[in-house]
Each structure stands twice: as C-alpha cells, then as structure tokens.
Amino acid sequence: MFVTGKTDFWRKTHYGFTVDDGPFFYTRRGGEFEVSAKISADYQARYDQAGLMIRVDETMWIKAGIEYVDGRFHASTVVTRNFSDWSLVALGKNMDAIFIKMLRKLDAVEVSYSIDGSNYQLMRLAYFPDNIPVDIGLMAASPDGEGFNARFDHIQIKHLPDQRRINWLSENA
C-alpha cells in the first residue's frame, strides 16, 4: 500500500484537531474474532505508521501497529472513544517487521505485538462495545511526511465461537 502523505487518524486530545483520512482497507464483521498481520514499511518521517484497525465509525476505533517516533520504532496503540489516547512500547532497535494481533472478546479488545510471530506480548486491553458489527482491516498514516510504502503479510481474521452461547447451552443441557 502506498500511504498518502499528510494523513492520520486522531480525535481532539492534546493536539486540538480531528483528522480521519488515512488509508483503511477493511471488511465488516460481527461477534468475537482475532485479527493479525505482519507489518513492515519504508518509514520516512516522524509518526509514519502502519497496522490494524477495528472501527465502529470516526468517533470509535482502535488502531495498533508499528510507528516511527523520534528516530525509533515503537509498537503503538491509539484507542478512540470520541477522544483519542496514545500508548507506545519502545522496541529498542530498528525493526524490519512486527506482528500485531487484536482479539475482540465481549466488551474488550486485547492488543498484542510480536517480533517473531509466535511469542506475543500484551500491550493494551481496552473497552470496546459488544454486539455491534465493526470494520476490521489494514490502516496506515503519514501525518508529518510525504508518504511511504507499507506491506502487510500473513493477514488472518479468525471468528471465535460465541462463548456465552456455548456456556448457556451447556448449563441448560
């Protein structure tokens, strides 16, 4: 994907502006699921980012991926419920790629990252409304830059069985 320059996803907090114009390629899903991908890119400028997004609309979404901040690579998560918040995990060295996994269960999303695609580290657990369909997909942005190329591999969306229904059936069998 070529990421267009001067694009981002952000709402209000700290910077005082709202922008919602980065590329986002998605599918719509309901229920509980796990989405994962391997992400790499030719990052050029501060805040260049690529990753996964789960989205209800422009006021409620979660994005997570790798972000280039102050010359270093970070695993990054932004949770937005009308106001955006941002968390970073310094990766400590230049990264060729990172794996991101988002797990939606009940009213929460777990966000994890991995360097090798096998051993995942939880970096965020966030509230996210239950029982509404969401857009799931690949996002990227280049708020300060002129754009860059991003690559997404090993993209998977796995539907999870409805644990509440399974529990009800077993209790009422």
Side-chain angles (χ1 to χ4, degrees), residues 6 20 23 32 41 46 68 70 73 107 133 146 162 167:
K6 309 299 184 218
D20 191 63
E32 298 180 338
R46 181 176 65 159
Y68 189 65
D70 298 330
F73 293 90
D107 65 352
E146 298 304 316
D162 185 343
N167 290 342

Side-chain angles (χ1 to χ4, degrees), residues 30-44:
E32 298 180 338
F33 56 82
E34 177 183 289
V35 58
S36 60
K38 180 181 178 184
I39 300 143
S40 57
D42 302 322
Y43 304 100
Q44 303 292 318

Side-chain angles (χ1 to χ4, degrees), residues 92-165:
K93 61 179 181 175
N94 289 345
M95 305 298 301
D96 290 330
I98 188 172
F99 295 82
I100 295 291
K101 178 169 55 174
M102 299 171 96
L103 176 65
R104 182 187 191 194
K105 292 182 77 176
L106 300 175
D107 65 352
V109 172
E110 295 177 14
V111 181
S112 302
Y113 74 95
S114 173
I115 304 304
D116 62 10
S118 296
N119 301 299
Y120 281 85
Q121 176 67 46
L122 179 67
M123 63 177 179
R124 189 75 185 261
L125 174 65
Y127 167 79
F128 206 74
D130 191 12
N131 289 324
I132 57 173
V134 296
D135 297 331
I136 308 168
L138 312 173
M139 74 83 206
S142 183
D144 286 357
E146 298 304 316
F148 63 97
N149 288 308
R151 290 171 298 284
F152 300 88
D153 298 299
H154 308 288
I155 303 161
Q156 294 184 354
I157 301 173
K158 297 179 194 173
H159 177 75
L160 302 177
D162 185 343
Q163 195 60 49
R164 288 171 295 198
R165 181 168 158 59

